Amino acid sequence: MTRWLLLPLLLLAACAPGVPDNARIVVAGDSVMAWNRGSGASVARALQARLGEPVGDVSLPLARVAGGSGSLNIPTQLSGVSAPWVVLNGGANDISASCNCTRCSPVLDRLISDDGRRGAIPALVASLRQRGSRVIWADYYTSPRFAGTACVAPYRELESRLGRMAARDAGVSLVDMDDVFSPADLSLFAADRTHPSPKGSARIAALVAPLLRR
């Protein structure tokens, strides 16, 4: 990774706010959740403003579900967290590091089996549920950088498997960021045409917030 990309990611990680003692909501995951934190416009901050309550945030760029060390591993981010609600995503960095969008079945199987019952994601969700957390998994949007390419297919398969997992537990909700994003609307994306702009982060928060008011 080139220095110009690594530096902003390190700065973003350094200002992670963590989890306030009274937070009933914690956001975890990768850079889609963490993006815009430095400007106070991340998904967690947008949720906090929308709901008028503290929101914890342990998300980090480059984080993986089935790999990564320390807080760059999403289950480790959530170690010891027992909030009533956990909002998270994950899998993109696992996929990008392990396949080239055309041979992704093995990494998908490590993340979540075809029936949604086994793999790193169901294990993480089951652990959170055992701690008493309700889980909102935010499935990825299609970014302008990858729209119309072979990279869309493994994410569509990931979404299908996540849907099977969520369908078996009323305490698990799957939301699809594609419902509020369009790759044709560049105002929703950062300059890299992959991560969300502040407007995009606010859209994710708006998608999730109604579930948190239940």
Side-chain angles (χ1 to χ4, degrees), residues 92-163:
N93 292 314
D94 301 78
I95 291 171
S96 65
S98 304
C99 68
N100 66 357
C101 298
T102 58
R103 296 186 296 274
C104 293
S105 292
V107 66
L108 283 170
D109 289 341
R110 285 196 297 273
L111 289 171
I112 182 168
S113 60
D114 184 66
D115 62 5
R117 295 178 181 273
R118 300 175 304 281
I121 290 175
L124 171 58
V125 170
S127 175
L128 292 168
R129 295 289 292 131
Q130 288 167 5
R131 293 177 234 169
S133 298
R134 298 185 72 178
V135 175
I136 299 175
W137 194 284
D139 185 60
Y140 293 104
Y141 51 70
T142 303
S143 71
R145 183 175 175 185
F146 297 109
T149 73
C151 291
V152 173
Y155 288 96
R156 291 283 184 259
E157 178 61 25
L158 176 63
E159 180 184 6
S160 295
R161 297 182 185 199
L162 290 169

